[in-house]
Amino acid sequence: MKNILYEGYLGPRLPKEVQLKRVQRVIREELTQAQRETLMAHYFQKQTVTQIARERGVNKSTVSRTLKRAEEKLRRFLKY
């Protein structure tokens, strides 16, 4: 996931514990099961897109699209 800086943002930063709880809630409640599993496998289990695709019996492009959609949804829900 790209690290995006929002230019001109001068507002307060949330404590790390609050940020973590928000991320966990979005992953749990807003992502589809496929998005959640793909995101967890890639970022937390350190699997490559190729490994995930092979494990699930799908094309690499399917995994990439699923991962991209999960990241976009995370950004959208965590933006506010």
Side-chain angles (χ1 to χ4, degrees), residues 17-52:
E17 301 82 36
V18 174
Q19 291 179 30
L20 181 60
K21 285 183 182 187
R22 288 182 72 202
V23 168
Q24 290 171 335
R25 186 194 63 77
V26 171
I27 290 172
R28 184 179 62 247
E29 297 176 9
E30 304 298 339
L31 299 183
T32 66
Q33 182 175 350
Q35 290 171 340
R36 188 172 33 256
E37 289 173 358
T38 302
L39 193 80
M40 301 299 274
H42 187 67
Y43 287 105
F44 296 102
Q45 298 169 4
K46 305 293 186 197
Q47 292 182 354
T48 66
V49 170
T50 304
Q51 290 171 325
I52 297 168

Side-chain angles (χ1 to χ4, degrees), residues 6 69-80:
Y6 295 98
R69 289 176 182 154
E71 291 168 348
E72 288 171 351
K73 198 177 275 190
L74 263 176
R75 278 191 203 94
R76 188 170 55 248
F77 277 93
L78 295 174
K79 187 174 183 180
Y80 301 102

Side-chain angles (χ1 to χ4, degrees), residues 52-63:
I52 297 168
R54 190 177 312 123
E55 194 175 274
R56 300 205 174 129
V58 297
N59 198 299
K60 291 188 303 184
S61 64
T62 302
V63 174

